Amino acid sequence: MLRHKFLMTAALAAAILCQAPAFAAEDTVVAKVGDLEIHQSELDIAVQNLDPQLAQLPDEQKKVAALSGAIDVKLLAKGALAEGIKDTPDFKKRMDYIADRELHNAYFRKHVIDATTPAEIKARYDKEIASLPKQEEVHARHILVKTEDEAKAIIADLDKGKDFAAIAKEKSQDSNKDEGGDLGWFGRGRMVPEFEEVAFTLKKGEYSKTPVKSQFGYHVIKLEDTRDAPAPAFDQVEDQVKQLVMRDKYVALITKAKSEQKIDIKDAALKKGYEDVSKMQDAGDAPVQQ
């Protein structure tokens, strides 16, 4: 479905965007740890990198939790510097990888997030809507009773010309009886199979001539109307469509970069796994690396 497809890369953009704090015009000092300073920009980053549970706290509590964490970082970082950990090979390797990841994110932001225009999003929406297969929906009412005999008696009353909605209000045991048994519009897969099979075979204005048994009891069904299911409105799925456009841009960047560089994976199992993931990514089925 369209909505499912639109959600494929929501996590990617959220992860990238959350690493881009809105720095204040003046990067003020919010705390000092000995001779080390903690600036507002560092506190912003600390807030955005809180544990998911702490991230649910009110804003002021989040700031306190983030500041506490930032102070702990400064305290132990100072100790690490004193012990020369910064100059160890392991630390340098980790910092090199982190630098590459942040460069990846900055490049993504420039060429994907910032490069995605409203016109592209609307055009992609129109394309996706045009490609959606038509899906039938029906508008139906029903009357639910406990026994088959009750249902047969209701059908007999309908045959005599009695009003369906009026009977539903009087005799139906479903919670929607006050609405005359109105179930609104629904597509296939929304109702139990026995009910759905009958509802989608009736013609407009018809009611079922025999009781329809389900796990809930016995139904008498009336079809009010049919239609093609309406597509989701643009404003309802705009954000999801944007993710789809950004994913395509990202895949294009990666595909171009791969074509310009030789990738040689020595381990056979890793090579096969990487090739499988690459195929899924090209097909839009794999998550984008952050």
Side-chain angles (χ1 to χ4, degrees):
M1 288 298 295
L2 182 61
R3 288 185 178 89
H4 175 72
K5 189 175 182 182
F6 286 164
L7 293 175
M8 289 191 301
T9 58
L12 166 72
I16 298 298
L17 287 170
C18 78
Q19 296 178 36
F23 296 116
E26 181 181 355
D27 199 5
T28 57
V29 175
V30 296
K32 285 189 175 183
V33 182
D35 57 350
L36 300 176
E37 297 178 339
I38 297 176
H39 292 82
Q40 181 64 50
S41 60
E42 293 175 287
L43 181 60
D44 291 339
I45 294 172
V47 168
Q48 292 161 359
N49 285 276
L50 281 173
D51 179 274
Q53 290 184 335
L54 294 176
Q56 304 303 314
L57 294 172
D59 287 346
E60 286 305 313
Q61 293 183 37
K62 280 197 294 187
K63 290 180 183 179
V64 172
L67 179 60
S68 176
I71 290 172
D72 290 350
V73 166
K74 288 289 186 183
L75 288 170
L76 296 192
K78 187 171 185 178
L81 288 170
E83 293 181 7
I85 292 177
K86 181 180 179 181
D87 299 319
T88 62
D90 181 65
F91 181 82
K92 289 180 178 180
K93 289 176 183 177
R94 291 178 62 84
M95 291 304 296
D96 286 344
Y97 180 79
I98 291 171
D100 283 344
R101 187 179 63 191
E102 290 303 311
L103 286 169
H104 162 283
N105 292 347
Y107 196 77
F108 177 94
R109 189 175 299 111
K110 178 180 178 181
H111 293 281
V112 176
I113 296 176
D114 295 343
T116 298
T117 67
E120 287 178 304
I121 299 170
K122 183 59 167 62
R124 184 56 180 268
Y125 168 81
D126 292 339
K127 178 183 176 182
E128 293 293 337
I129 293 301
S131 67
L132 282 177
K134 298 294 183 183
Q135 293 192 340
E136 184 183 16
E137 284 188 336
V138 296
H139 177 197
R141 295 177 183 270
H142 82 138
I143 300 168
L144 176 66
V145 291
K146 290 183 178 180
T147 68
E148 185 176 11
D149 287 341
E150 288 177 286
K152 286 180 177 179
I154 288 169
I155 293 171
D157 286 340
L158 293 170
D159 289 340
K160 295 174 184 177
K162 291 190 176 181
D163 182 68
F164 192 99
I167 298 175
K169 290 179 179 180
E170 179 185 352
K171 297 184 177 180
S172 182
Q173 297 177 18
D174 196 9
S175 58
N176 68 351
K177 61 180 296 182
D178 291 339
E179 289 77 45
D182 192 353
L183 295 167
W185 291 97
F186 58 89
R188 294 186 184 276
R190 292 278 304 279
M191 302 297 179
V192 293
E194 305 91 338
F195 189 101
E196 180 180 292
E197 182 180 352
V198 174
F200 278 86
T201 56
L202 293 172
K203 294 180 180 179
K204 182 177 178 179
E206 285 185 340
Y207 54 86
S208 53
K209 297 299 184 179
T210 57
V212 179
K213 184 180 180 181
S214 78
Q215 66 199 68
F216 303 105
Y218 290 85
H219 308 261
V220 180
I221 306 168
K222 181 184 178 184
L223 183 68
E224 295 286 351
D225 206 352
T226 63
R227 70 178 183 185
D228 288 332
F234 177 67
D235 59 356
Q236 292 179 319
V237 295
E238 182 178 0
D239 289 343
Q240 294 95 312
V241 180
K242 182 178 181 180
Q243 309 308 323
L244 203 56
V245 174
M246 290 196 300
R247 178 183 176 81
D248 285 353
K249 286 180 178 289
Y250 179 82
V251 171
L253 285 178
I254 289 296
T255 300
K256 182 176 183 296
K258 286 179 179 178
S259 71
E260 296 171 348
Q261 301 292 334
K262 180 180 179 181
I263 298 174
D264 184 16
I265 301 174
K266 306 299 184 183
D267 184 279
L270 282 175
K271 181 177 181 179
K272 183 180 184 307
Y274 174 79
E275 290 172 347
D276 289 344
V277 168
S278 294
K279 290 177 182 176
M280 292 173 62
Q281 188 180 72
D282 292 341
D285 296 329
V288 178
Q289 296 301 309
Q290 300 173 17

